[in-house]
Amino acid sequence: MDSQKALPTPVSTADTHSPPAGFREEVLFGLRAAVPLAVAVFCFAVSFGMVARAAGMGVLAPLVMSLTTFAGSAQFAAASVLGTGGGIAAAIVAAVLLNSRYLPIGISVAPAMTGGVLKRFLSAQLVVDESWAVGHIGNGRYSRGRLLGAGVLVYAAWVGGTAVGLLGARYLGDPERFGLDVVSPVLFIALLKGQITSRKALAASVLGVAIALTLVPFASPGVPLIAATAACLLGLRKR
C-alpha cells in the first residue's frame, strides 16, 4: 500500500484519539481499536448464520452474501423476510433501505479515499458502521489507515462468524439461548456513544431513537431507520 502523509493532530487537547504518524501505524491503530467491536460483530454474524440457515437459505448463499455484501443489518433483514415467508423482492427492498445509510457515510469518507479508481473501490468495501466510527479523527475528517485497519478485522469477524453460525446451526439451536439476539442493539449503542460530543448531537440521537421506536410497530422494515437518520441530520452544522 502507498504511504500517505500524517494527518494533522486536532487542535483540541481533549482529543486523545489523534491518528499515529504513518500509514502503517494508522492501520495498526485501527486494528487495535476495532478488536472489541470485532468480537461483537463475530457474535452477530454467528446469529445471522443461524437465522439464515433456519430461513432455508442453505449454506453457500448466506456465506457468499457475507463475502460480497458485508452489511449485517441488511443481511439480517433479508434473512428475516425470507424466514417469515416474504418474497425475494421484499427481502431486497428491506436490505436496500437499511443500506441507504451508506450514501452519507460514503460521502463523509470520500476525501480520505486516495489513489486510483480500483484502489478507492476496494477500500470503500471496508467502510461499514464500525470502521467508520473508528476512522473518525474529529472535525469531519477520517483516516484512511484507520478505516482500512478496522474494516479488515471486522470483515474477517463477519465472514468467520457467518461460517460458524451456518455450520453449527444444528448444534447451537436458538440464537436467543446465548443472548445473540441483543448483540446488534448493544453494538450500535457502543458506536453511538463515541459520536455524541455535543448537546446538539445528543438531542439528534434522542430524536432519532424516539422516531424509530414510534415507527417500528407498524412501518415496513428499514423505514424507521431511514426516518431516524433523517432526523439526525439536525446534528450537522456548518463549519
Side-chain angles (χ1 to χ4, degrees):
M1 292 184 183
D2 297 334
S3 61
Q4 75 178 37
K5 295 181 179 179
L7 296 171
T9 302
V11 176
S12 172
T13 57
D15 182 7
T16 58
H17 302 286
S18 56
F23 178 71
R24 180 175 178 275
E25 287 72 19
E26 290 179 28
V27 172
L28 293 176
F29 187 96
L31 283 168
R32 290 193 297 268
V35 168
L37 297 175
V39 173
V41 167
F42 180 84
C43 294
F44 188 32
V46 171
S47 183
F48 164 70
M50 296 167 66
V51 170
R53 188 73 181 270
M57 295 178 65
V59 174
L60 183 60
L63 186 58
V64 171
M65 192 179 188
S66 286
L67 284 166
T68 58
T69 305
F70 188 29
S73 56
Q75 291 180 226
F76 241 111
S80 298
V81 170
L82 293 174
T84 54
I88 295 178
I92 292 175
V93 170
V96 169
L97 285 172
L98 284 168
N99 269 356
S100 62
R101 70 188 183 278
Y102 285 118
L103 178 59
I105 286 177
I107 293 174
S108 68
V109 303
M113 294 300 171
T114 57
V117 174
L118 181 59
K119 177 184 284 189
R120 295 199 305 272
F121 173 78
L122 294 175
S123 298
Q125 305 314 302
L126 297 175
V127 179
V128 290
D129 302 278
E130 295 80 11
S131 59
W132 179 70
V134 170
H136 186 235
I137 58 176
N139 299 322
R141 297 177 301 125
Y142 290 84
S143 162
R144 176 170 170 266
R146 278 182 165 190
L147 287 166
L148 297 183
V152 166
L153 185 60
V154 171
Y155 180 80
W158 179 251
V159 174
T162 299
V164 170
L166 289 168
L167 298 177
R170 66 177 63 183
Y171 305 107
L172 295 174
D174 189 347
E176 294 185 8
R177 287 178 52 201
F178 306 96
L180 296 179
D181 55 314
V182 302
V183 169
S184 180
V186 171
L187 175 60
F188 278 101
I189 290 173
L191 291 173
L192 177 63
K193 181 181 178 182
Q195 303 302 313
I196 300 178
T197 57
S198 67
R199 291 183 178 179
K200 182 178 289 188
L202 177 60
S205 300
V206 171
L207 179 60
V209 169
I211 291 175
L213 291 177
T214 301
L215 294 177
V216 163
F218 56 86
S220 300
V223 173
L225 179 61
I226 300 302
T229 302
C232 286
L233 292 175
L234 295 175
L236 296 177
R237 61 189 177 88
K238 294 182 179 180
R239 300 187 179 277

